[in-house]
Amino acid sequence: MMTPVLTEAQLAQFHNDGFVVLPKFASDEACLALRDRAMQLAKEHVPSPEQATIFTADSTAKHAADQYFLTSGDKIRCFFEKDAFDEHGKLRAEAHLCLNKLGHAMHDLDPQFSKFSHNEKLASLANQIGMQEPKLLQSMYIFKQPRIGGEVNCHTDHTFLWTEPQSVVGFWFAIDDATTENGCMWALPGGHRIPVKSRSRVNADRTASYMEVFDETPYPTEGLVPLEAERGTLVLLNGTLPHLSGPNTSDKPRHAYTIHAIDSHANYPADNWLQRPSLVMAGFND
Ligand code: FE2
């Protein structure tokens, strides 16, 4: 039997609200080490100006950008903020200053990210919230840069990481303090009970994704609560919980790291955008 991580009250809160905020889950030291490593990975994996022109040049840009994204499930890739490149494919600032995020397999491919992502405490937590055989599907390191860090619209993670039955859980770590000024997450307590309104799928030749919409009505905005979080806080998110984050209008960075885990007992469809042909999914304990 694993040592429980959540109190009874926290577990009840997770089930009632669809999320729970766990301050001081990770140490400052571990967060800062991950932060340094992310900066380094950004430098190592930044596309060359030759590669980058494909994102900016012309009508082929959309196709190339789609391919770069759709094949990133088993790689470490850089995704940039809008207008990060000039018309010659040259970055307007140093890579680590105009990145939106790194994705989507740092937890498998980089030893430091792997160490942060796999431990007994996370295994125990996943077990406690009822995951039978949790497997780490994807990781993202989100930079949310000062002044240019964009907003993320209201969505559920199940829309993008669909399983049957629904099983995805988001593990969101504050690497910097997240506040309403620098674009913290917002969530709708109890909103995980609203039937999911859409599902993202890829076409047969995996060249583009499209949205299958079940319900056109937007999620309610009334009742959204800010999830302010100090460095080291873990926010656990049910996959059907509507959440969003605002733009970063402050001069402070708001780095965060997320892991999305699914239950290996659930079916993972072949037309989900994220596929990992070169990597087997591991558990938190592996
Ligand atoms: Fe999300």
Side-chain angles (χ1 to χ4, degrees), residues 99-176:
L99 264 179
N100 172 288
K101 67 181 171 192
L102 294 171
H104 288 93
M106 289 82 70
H107 64 291
D108 285 314
L109 298 175
D110 180 70
Q112 192 136 358
F113 272 79
S114 174
K115 191 169 149 229
F116 190 96
S117 310
H118 297 87
N119 58 61
E120 192 65 38
K121 199 173 168 188
L122 285 169
S124 172
L125 181 55
N127 175 267
Q128 218 187 339
I129 59 172
M131 299 189 84
Q132 287 182 52
E133 208 179 319
K135 298 282 184 188
L136 283 73
L137 175 63
Q138 81 164 12
S139 50
M140 293 190 285
Y141 190 90
I142 300 153
F143 290 84
K144 191 74 89 171
Q145 306 280 359
R147 289 173 297 275
I148 60 164
E151 66 183 322
V152 177
N153 292 331
C154 196
H155 69 280
T156 74
D157 295 332
H158 183 44
T159 292
F160 299 96
L161 304 171
W162 193 269
T163 64
E164 287 151 357
Q166 164 352 77
S167 69
V168 66
V169 174
F171 295 73
W172 184 101
F173 296 89
I175 301 299
D176 292 326

Coordinates of all heavy atoms in Angstrom, one line a residue, residues 99-176:
L99 N 10.1 31.7 -26.7 CA 9.4 30.4 -26.8 C 8.1 30.5 -26.1 O 7.9 31.1 -25.0 CB 10.3 29.4 -26.0 CG 11.2 28.6 -26.8 CD1 12.0 27.6 -25.9 CD2 10.4 27.7 -27.9
N100 N 7.1 29.8 -26.6 CA 5.8 29.6 -25.9 C 6.0 28.3 -25.1 O 5.7 28.4 -23.9 CB 4.7 29.4 -27.0 CG 3.4 29.0 -26.4 OD1 3.3 27.8 -26.0 ND2 2.5 29.9 -26.3
K101 N 6.5 27.3 -25.7 CA 6.6 26.0 -24.9 C 7.6 25.1 -25.5 O 7.9 25.2 -26.7 CB 5.3 25.3 -24.7 CG 4.7 24.8 -25.9 CD 3.3 24.1 -25.6 CE 2.6 23.8 -26.9 NZ 1.2 23.4 -26.7
L102 N 8.0 24.1 -24.7 CA 8.7 22.9 -25.2 C 7.7 21.7 -25.1 O 7.0 21.6 -24.2 CB 9.9 22.6 -24.3 CG 11.1 23.5 -24.3 CD1 12.1 23.1 -23.2 CD2 11.8 23.5 -25.6
G103 N 7.8 20.8 -26.1 CA 6.9 19.6 -26.0 C 7.4 18.5 -26.9 O 8.2 18.8 -27.8
H104 N 7.1 17.3 -26.8 CA 6.1 16.8 -25.8 C 6.6 15.5 -25.1 O 5.8 14.8 -24.5 CB 4.7 16.5 -26.5 CG 4.0 17.7 -27.0 ND1 4.1 18.3 -28.2 CD2 3.2 18.5 -26.3 CE1 3.4 19.4 -28.3 NE2 2.8 19.6 -27.1
A105 N 7.9 15.3 -25.2 CA 8.4 14.0 -24.6 C 9.7 14.2 -23.8 O 10.5 13.3 -23.6 CB 8.6 12.9 -25.6
M106 N 9.8 15.4 -23.1 CA 11.0 15.7 -22.3 C 11.0 14.7 -21.2 O 12.1 14.3 -20.7 CB 10.9 17.1 -21.7 CG 11.1 18.2 -22.7 SD 9.6 18.6 -23.5 CE 8.7 19.4 -22.2
H107 N 9.9 14.2 -20.7 CA 9.8 13.3 -19.5 C 10.4 12.0 -19.9 O 10.8 11.2 -19.0 CB 8.4 13.2 -19.0 CG 7.5 12.5 -20.1 ND1 7.1 13.2 -21.2 CD2 6.9 11.3 -20.1 CE1 6.3 12.4 -21.9 NE2 6.2 11.3 -21.3
D108 N 10.5 11.6 -21.1 CA 11.2 10.4 -21.6 C 12.6 10.6 -22.1 O 13.4 9.7 -21.9 CB 10.4 9.7 -22.7 CG 9.1 9.1 -22.2 OD1 9.1 8.4 -21.2 OD2 8.0 9.3 -22.9
L109 N 12.8 11.7 -22.7 CA 14.0 11.9 -23.5 C 15.1 12.7 -22.7 O 16.3 12.6 -23.1 CB 13.7 12.6 -24.8 CG 12.8 11.9 -25.7 CD1 12.5 12.7 -27.0 CD2 13.4 10.5 -26.2
D110 N 14.8 13.4 -21.7 CA 15.8 14.2 -21.0 C 15.9 13.7 -19.6 O 14.9 13.7 -18.8 CB 15.4 15.7 -21.0 CG 16.4 16.5 -20.2 OD1 17.6 16.6 -20.7 OD2 16.1 16.9 -19.1
P111 N 17.1 13.3 -19.1 CA 17.2 12.7 -17.8 C 16.7 13.6 -16.7 O 16.1 13.1 -15.7 CB 18.7 12.5 -17.7 CG 19.2 12.5 -19.1 CD 18.3 13.3 -19.9
Q112 N 16.9 14.9 -16.8 CA 16.5 15.8 -15.7 C 15.0 15.9 -15.6 O 14.4 15.9 -14.5 CB 17.1 17.2 -15.9 CG 16.9 18.0 -14.6 CD 18.2 18.8 -14.3 OE1 19.2 18.6 -14.9 NE2 18.1 19.6 -13.3
F113 N 14.4 16.0 -16.8 CA 12.9 16.1 -16.8 C 12.3 14.7 -16.4 O 11.3 14.6 -15.7 CB 12.4 16.4 -18.2 CG 12.2 17.9 -18.4 CD1 13.4 18.7 -18.7 CD2 11.0 18.5 -18.3 CE1 13.2 20.1 -18.8 CE2 10.9 19.9 -18.5 CZ 12.0 20.7 -18.7
S114 N 13.0 13.6 -16.8 CA 12.5 12.3 -16.4 C 12.6 12.2 -14.9 O 11.6 11.6 -14.3 CB 13.5 11.3 -17.0 OG 13.1 10.0 -16.6
K115 N 13.6 12.6 -14.2 CA 13.8 12.6 -12.8 C 12.6 13.3 -12.1 O 12.1 12.8 -11.1 CB 15.1 13.1 -12.4 CG 15.5 12.9 -11.0 CD 17.0 13.2 -10.8 CE 17.2 13.7 -9.3 NZ 17.9 14.9 -9.2
F116 N 12.3 14.5 -12.6 CA 11.3 15.3 -12.0 C 9.9 14.7 -12.1 O 9.0 14.8 -11.3 CB 11.2 16.7 -12.7 CG 10.4 17.7 -12.0 CD1 10.9 18.6 -11.1 CD2 9.0 17.8 -12.3 CE1 10.1 19.6 -10.5 CE2 8.2 18.8 -11.6 CZ 8.8 19.6 -10.7
S117 N 9.7 13.9 -13.2 CA 8.4 13.4 -13.6 C 8.1 12.0 -13.1 O 6.9 11.6 -13.1 CB 8.3 13.3 -15.2 OG 8.7 14.6 -15.7
H118 N 9.1 11.3 -12.6 CA 8.9 10.0 -12.1 C 9.3 9.8 -10.7 O 10.5 10.0 -10.4 CB 9.7 8.9 -12.9 CG 9.3 8.9 -14.4 ND1 9.8 9.7 -15.3 CD2 8.4 8.1 -15.0 CE1 9.3 9.4 -16.5 NE2 8.4 8.5 -16.4
N119 N 8.4 9.6 -9.8 CA 8.7 9.4 -8.4 C 7.6 8.7 -7.7 O 6.4 8.7 -8.1 CB 9.3 10.6 -7.7 CG 8.3 11.7 -7.7 OD1 7.2 11.6 -7.2 ND2 8.6 12.9 -8.3
E120 N 7.9 8.2 -6.5 CA 6.9 7.5 -5.6 C 5.7 8.4 -5.3 O 4.6 7.9 -5.2 CB 7.7 7.0 -4.4 CG 6.9 6.0 -3.6 CD 6.7 4.7 -4.3 OE1 7.6 4.2 -5.1 OE2 5.6 4.1 -4.1
K121 N 6.0 9.7 -5.0 CA 5.0 10.6 -4.5 C 3.9 10.8 -5.6 O 2.7 10.8 -5.4 CB 5.6 11.9 -4.2 CG 4.8 12.8 -3.3 CD 5.6 14.0 -2.8 CE 4.8 15.1 -2.2 NZ 5.5 16.3 -1.9
L122 N 4.4 10.9 -6.9 CA 3.4 11.1 -8.0 C 2.7 9.8 -8.2 O 1.5 9.8 -8.5 CB 4.2 11.5 -9.3 CG 4.6 13.0 -9.3 CD1 5.6 13.3 -10.4 CD2 3.4 13.9 -9.4
A123 N 3.4 8.7 -8.1 CA 2.7 7.4 -8.3 C 1.6 7.2 -7.3 O 0.5 6.7 -7.6 CB 3.8 6.2 -8.2
S124 N 1.9 7.5 -6.0 CA 1.0 7.4 -5.0 C -0.2 8.3 -5.2 O -1.4 7.9 -4.9 CB 1.7 7.7 -3.6 OG 0.7 7.7 -2.6
L125 N 0.0 9.5 -5.6 CA -1.0 10.5 -5.9 C -2.0 10.0 -7.0 O -3.2 10.0 -6.8 CB -0.4 11.8 -6.3 CG -1.3 13.0 -6.6 CD1 -2.2 13.3 -5.4 CD2 -0.4 14.2 -6.9
A126 N -1.4 9.5 -8.0 CA -2.2 9.0 -9.2 C -3.1 7.8 -8.7 O -4.2 7.7 -9.0 CB -1.3 8.5 -10.3
N127 N -2.5 7.0 -7.9 CA -3.2 5.8 -7.3 C -4.3 6.3 -6.4 O -5.5 5.7 -6.5 CB -2.2 4.9 -6.5 CG -2.8 3.8 -5.8 OD1 -3.2 3.9 -4.7 ND2 -3.0 2.7 -6.5
Q128 N -4.1 7.3 -5.6 CA -5.1 7.8 -4.7 C -6.3 8.4 -5.4 O -7.4 8.3 -4.9 CB -4.4 8.8 -3.8 CG -4.9 8.8 -2.4 CD -4.4 9.9 -1.5 OE1 -3.4 10.6 -1.9 NE2 -5.0 10.2 -0.4
I129 N -6.1 9.0 -6.5 CA -7.2 9.6 -7.2 C -7.9 8.6 -8.1 O -8.8 8.9 -8.9 CB -6.9 10.9 -8.0 CG1 -5.8 10.6 -9.1 CG2 -6.4 12.0 -7.1 CD1 -5.5 11.7 -10.0
G130 N -7.5 7.3 -8.1 CA -8.2 6.3 -8.7 C -7.7 5.8 -10.1 O -8.4 5.1 -10.8
M131 N -6.5 6.3 -10.5 CA -5.9 5.8 -11.7 C -5.5 4.4 -11.5 O -4.7 4.1 -10.6 CB -4.8 6.7 -12.2 CG -5.2 8.1 -12.5 SD -4.0 9.2 -13.3 CE -4.2 8.7 -15.0
Q132 N -5.8 3.5 -12.4 CA -5.5 2.1 -12.2 C -4.0 1.8 -12.7 O -3.2 1.3 -11.9 CB -6.4 1.2 -13.0 CG -7.8 1.1 -12.4 CD -8.6 0.1 -13.3 OE1 -8.2 -1.0 -13.5 NE2 -9.8 0.6 -13.7
E133 N -3.7 2.2 -13.9 CA -2.4 2.0 -14.4 C -2.0 3.2 -15.1 O -2.0 3.3 -16.4 CB -2.3 0.8 -15.3 CG -0.9 0.2 -15.3 CD -0.8 -1.1 -16.1 OE1 -1.8 -1.9 -16.1 OE2 0.2 -1.2 -16.8
P134 N -1.6 4.3 -14.4 CA -1.3 5.6 -15.0 C 0.0 5.5 -15.9 O 1.0 4.9 -15.4 CB -1.1 6.6 -13.9 CG -0.8 5.7 -12.7 CD -1.5 4.4 -12.9
K135 N 0.0 6.1 -17.0 CA 1.1 6.2 -17.9 C 1.3 7.6 -18.4 O 0.3 8.3 -18.7 CB 0.9 5.3 -19.2 CG 0.7 3.8 -18.8 CD 2.0 3.1 -18.5 CE 1.9 1.6 -18.3 NZ 3.1 1.0 -17.8
L136 N 2.5 8.0 -18.4 CA 2.8 9.4 -18.8 C 2.8 9.6 -20.3 O 3.6 9.0 -21.0 CB 4.2 9.8 -18.3 CG 4.3 10.2 -16.8 CD1 4.2 8.9 -15.9 CD2 5.5 10.9 -16.4
L137 N 1.8 10.3 -20.8 CA 1.5 10.5 -22.2 C 2.3 11.6 -22.8 O 3.0 11.5 -23.8 CB 0.0 10.7 -22.4 CG -0.5 11.0 -23.8 CD1 -0.2 9.8 -24.8 CD2 -2.0 11.3 -23.8
Q138 N 2.3 12.8 -22.1 CA 3.0 14.0 -22.7 C 3.5 14.9 -21.6 O 3.0 14.9 -20.5 CB 2.1 14.7 -23.6 CG 1.1 15.7 -22.9 CD 0.5 16.7 -23.9 OE1 0.6 16.7 -25.1 NE2 -0.1 17.7 -23.3
S139 N 4.5 15.7 -21.9 CA 5.0 16.7 -21.0 C 5.1 18.0 -21.8 O 5.4 18.0 -23.0 CB 6.3 16.3 -20.4 OG 7.3 15.9 -21.4
M140 N 4.9 19.1 -21.2 CA 5.1 20.4 -21.8 C 5.7 21.3 -20.8 O 5.4 21.3 -19.6 CB 3.7 21.1 -22.1 CG 3.0 20.3 -23.2 SD 1.5 21.2 -23.8 CE 0.4 21.0 -22.5
Y141 N 6.7 22.1 -21.2 CA 7.3 23.2 -20.4 C 6.8 24.5 -21.0 O 7.1 24.8 -22.1 CB 8.8 23.1 -20.4 CG 9.4 24.0 -19.3 CD1 9.6 23.5 -18.0 CD2 9.7 25.3 -19.6 CE1 10.1 24.4 -17.0 CE2 10.2 26.2 -18.6 CZ 10.4 25.7 -17.3 OH 10.8 26.5 -16.3
I142 N 6.1 25.2 -20.2 CA 5.4 26.4 -20.7 C 6.1 27.7 -20.2 O 6.3 27.8 -18.9 CB 3.9 26.4 -20.3 CG1 3.2 25.2 -20.9 CG2 3.2 27.7 -20.7 CD1 2.1 24.7 -20.1
F143 N 6.5 28.6 -21.1 CA 7.3 29.7 -20.7 C 6.5 31.0 -20.3 O 6.9 31.7 -19.4 CB 8.3 30.1 -21.8 CG 9.4 29.1 -22.0 CD1 9.2 27.9 -22.8 CD2 10.6 29.2 -21.4 CE1 10.1 27.0 -22.9 CE2 11.6 28.3 -21.5 CZ 11.4 27.2 -22.3
K144 N 5.3 31.1 -20.9 CA 4.5 32.3 -20.6 C 5.3 33.5 -20.3 O 5.4 34.0 -19.2 CB 3.6 32.0 -19.4 CG 2.4 33.0 -19.1 CD 1.3 32.9 -20.1 CE 0.2 31.9 -19.6 NZ -1.0 32.1 -20.5
Q145 N 6.0 34.0 -21.4 CA 7.0 35.1 -21.3 C 6.4 36.4 -20.8 O 5.2 36.7 -21.1 CB 7.6 35.3 -22.7 CG 8.1 34.1 -23.3 CD 9.5 33.7 -22.8 OE1 10.1 34.4 -21.9 NE2 10.0 32.6 -23.3
P146 N 7.2 37.2 -20.1 CA 6.7 38.6 -19.7 C 6.2 39.3 -20.9 O 6.9 39.3 -22.0 CB 8.0 39.2 -19.1 CG 8.9 38.1 -18.8 CD 8.6 36.9 -19.7
R147 N 5.1 40.0 -20.8 CA 4.5 40.8 -21.8 C 4.0 40.1 -23.1 O 3.1 40.6 -23.7 CB 5.4 42.0 -22.2 CG 5.4 43.1 -21.0 CD 6.4 44.2 -21.3 NE 7.8 43.6 -21.4 CZ 8.6 43.4 -20.3 NH1 8.1 43.7 -19.1 NH2 9.8 42.9 -20.5
I148 N 4.7 39.1 -23.6 CA 4.3 38.5 -24.8 C 3.6 37.1 -24.7 O 3.1 36.6 -25.6 CB 5.5 38.3 -25.8 CG1 6.6 37.4 -25.2 CG2 6.1 39.7 -26.2 CD1 7.6 36.9 -26.3
G149 N 3.7 36.6 -23.4 CA 3.1 35.2 -23.2 C 1.6 35.3 -23.4 O 0.9 36.1 -22.8
G150 N 1.1 34.5 -24.4 CA -0.3 34.6 -24.8 C -1.2 33.9 -23.9 O -0.8 33.1 -23.1
E151 N -2.5 34.1 -24.1 CA -3.6 33.5 -23.3 C -3.8 32.1 -23.9 O -3.5 31.8 -25.1 CB -4.9 34.3 -23.4 CG -5.5 34.4 -24.7 CD -6.7 35.3 -24.7 OE1 -7.5 35.2 -23.8 OE2 -6.9 36.0 -25.7
V152 N -4.4 31.2 -23.1 CA -4.9 29.9 -23.6 C -6.4 29.9 -23.3 O -6.8 30.1 -22.2 CB -4.2 28.8 -22.8 CG1 -4.7 27.4 -23.2 CG2 -2.6 28.8 -23.0
N153 N -7.1 29.6 -24.4 CA -8.6 29.7 -24.3 C -9.1 28.5 -23.4 O -8.5 27.5 -23.2 CB -9.2 29.6 -25.7 CG -8.9 30.8 -26.5 OD1 -8.8 31.9 -25.9 ND2 -8.8 30.7 -27.8
C154 N -10.4 28.7 -23.0 CA -11.0 27.7 -22.1 C -11.2 26.4 -22.9 O -11.7 26.4 -24.0 CB -12.4 28.2 -21.7 SG -13.1 27.3 -20.3
H155 N -10.7 25.3 -22.3 CA -10.7 24.0 -22.9 C -10.7 22.9 -21.9 O -10.4 23.2 -20.7 CB -9.5 23.9 -23.9 CG -8.2 23.8 -23.1 ND1 -7.6 24.9 -22.6 CD2 -7.4 22.7 -22.7 CE1 -6.5 24.5 -21.9 NE2 -6.4 23.2 -22.0
T156 N -10.9 21.7 -22.3 CA -10.6 20.6 -21.4 C -9.5 19.7 -22.1 O -9.4 19.7 -23.3 CB -11.8 19.6 -21.3 OG1 -12.0 18.9 -22.5 CG2 -13.1 20.4 -20.9
D157 N -8.7 19.1 -21.3 CA -7.6 18.3 -21.8 C -8.0 17.1 -22.5 O -7.4 16.6 -23.5 CB -6.6 18.0 -20.7 CG -5.9 19.2 -20.1 OD1 -5.8 20.2 -20.9 OD2 -5.6 19.2 -18.9
H158 N -9.2 16.6 -22.1 CA -9.8 15.4 -22.7 C -10.1 15.6 -24.2 O -9.9 14.7 -25.0 CB -11.1 15.0 -22.0 CG -11.8 13.8 -22.5 ND1 -11.1 12.6 -22.8 CD2 -13.1 13.5 -22.8 CE1 -12.0 11.7 -23.2 NE2 -13.2 12.2 -23.2
T159 N -10.4 16.8 -24.6 CA -10.6 17.2 -26.0 C -9.4 16.8 -26.8 O -9.6 16.4 -28.0 CB -10.9 18.7 -26.1 OG1 -12.2 19.0 -25.5 CG2 -11.0 19.2 -27.5
F160 N -8.2 17.1 -26.3 CA -7.0 16.9 -27.1 C -6.3 15.5 -26.8 O -5.6 15.1 -27.7 CB -6.0 18.0 -26.8 CG -6.6 19.4 -27.2 CD1 -7.2 20.2 -26.2 CD2 -6.6 19.8 -28.5 CE1 -7.8 21.4 -26.6 CE2 -7.2 21.0 -28.9 CZ -7.8 21.8 -27.9
L161 N -6.6 15.0 -25.7 CA -5.9 13.7 -25.3 C -7.0 12.7 -24.9 O -7.1 12.2 -23.8 CB -4.9 13.9 -24.1 CG -3.9 15.0 -24.4 CD1 -3.1 15.3 -23.1 CD2 -2.9 14.6 -25.5
W162 N -7.8 12.4 -25.9 CA -9.0 11.6 -25.8 C -8.7 10.1 -25.5 O -7.8 9.5 -26.1 CB -9.8 11.6 -27.1 CG -11.2 11.1 -27.1 CD1 -11.6 9.8 -27.3 CD2 -12.4 11.9 -26.8 NE1 -13.0 9.8 -27.2 CE2 -13.5 11.0 -26.9 CE3 -12.6 13.2 -26.5 CZ2 -14.8 11.4 -26.6 CZ3 -13.9 13.7 -26.2 CH2 -15.0 12.8 -26.3
T163 N -9.4 9.6 -24.5 CA -9.3 8.1 -24.3 C -10.8 7.6 -24.0 O -11.6 8.4 -23.6 CB -8.5 7.7 -23.1 OG1 -9.0 8.2 -21.8 CG2 -7.0 8.2 -23.2
E164 N -11.0 6.4 -24.2 CA -12.3 5.8 -24.0 C -12.1 4.6 -23.0 O -11.5 3.6 -23.3 CB -12.9 5.3 -25.3 CG -13.4 6.4 -26.2 CD -13.3 6.1 -27.7 OE1 -12.9 5.0 -28.0 OE2 -13.7 7.0 -28.4
P165 N -12.7 4.7 -21.7 CA -13.3 5.9 -21.2 C -12.3 7.0 -20.9 O -11.1 6.8 -21.0 CB -13.9 5.4 -19.9 CG -13.0 4.2 -19.5 CD -12.5 3.6 -20.8
Q166 N -12.8 8.2 -20.6 CA -12.0 9.4 -20.3 C -11.1 9.0 -19.2 O -11.5 8.5 -18.2 CB -13.0 10.5 -20.0 CG -12.7 11.8 -19.3 CD -11.4 12.1 -18.7 OE1 -10.4 12.4 -19.4 NE2 -11.3 12.1 -17.4
S167 N -9.8 9.3 -19.3 CA -8.9 9.0 -18.2 C -7.8 10.1 -18.0 O -7.1 10.0 -17.0 CB -8.2 7.7 -18.4 OG -7.4 7.7 -19.5
V168 N -7.7 11.0 -18.9 CA -6.5 11.9 -18.7 C -6.6 12.8 -17.5 O -7.7 13.3 -17.1 CB -6.3 12.8 -20.0 CG1 -7.4 13.8 -20.2 CG2 -5.0 13.5 -20.0
V169 N -5.5 12.9 -16.8 CA -5.3 13.8 -15.7 C -4.1 14.7 -15.9 O -3.1 14.3 -16.4 CB -5.1 13.0 -14.4 CG1 -4.8 13.9 -13.2 CG2 -6.3 12.1 -14.1
G170 N -4.3 16.0 -15.6 CA -3.2 17.0 -15.8 C -2.5 17.2 -14.5 O -3.1 17.4 -13.4
F171 N -1.2 17.1 -14.5 CA -0.3 17.5 -13.4 C 0.4 18.7 -13.7 O 1.3 18.7 -14.5 CB 0.7 16.3 -13.1 CG 0.0 15.0 -12.7 CD1 -0.7 14.2 -13.6 CD2 0.1 14.6 -11.4 CE1 -1.3 13.0 -13.2 CE2 -0.5 13.4 -11.0 CZ -1.2 12.6 -11.9
W172 N 0.0 19.9 -13.1 CA 0.5 21.2 -13.5 C 1.4 21.7 -12.4 O 0.9 21.9 -11.3 CB -0.7 22.1 -13.8 CG -0.4 23.5 -14.3 CD1 -0.4 23.9 -15.6 CD2 0.0 24.6 -13.5 NE1 -0.1 25.3 -15.7 CE2 0.2 25.7 -14.4 CE3 0.3 24.8 -12.2 CZ2 0.6 27.0 -14.0 CZ3 0.6 26.1 -11.7 CH2 0.8 27.2 -12.6
F173 N 2.7 21.9 -12.6 CA 3.6 22.4 -11.6 C 3.9 23.9 -11.8 O 4.4 24.3 -13.0 CB 4.9 21.6 -11.6 CG 4.8 20.2 -11.3 CD1 4.5 19.3 -12.3 CD2 4.9 19.7 -10.0 CE1 4.4 17.9 -12.1 CE2 4.8 18.4 -9.7 CZ 4.5 17.4 -10.8
A174 N 3.8 24.7 -10.8 CA 4.2 26.1 -10.9 C 5.8 26.1 -10.7 O 6.3 25.7 -9.7 CB 3.6 26.9 -9.8
I175 N 6.5 26.5 -11.8 CA 7.9 26.6 -11.7 C 8.3 28.0 -11.3 O 9.3 28.2 -10.6 CB 8.6 26.2 -13.0 CG1 8.2 24.8 -13.4 CG2 10.1 26.4 -13.0 CD1 8.6 23.7 -12.5
D176 N 7.5 29.0 -11.6 CA 7.6 30.4 -11.1 C 6.3 30.6 -10.3 O 5.3 29.9 -10.6 CB 7.7 31.4 -12.2 CG 9.1 31.4 -12.9 OD1 10.1 31.0 -12.3 OD2 9.1 31.7 -14.1

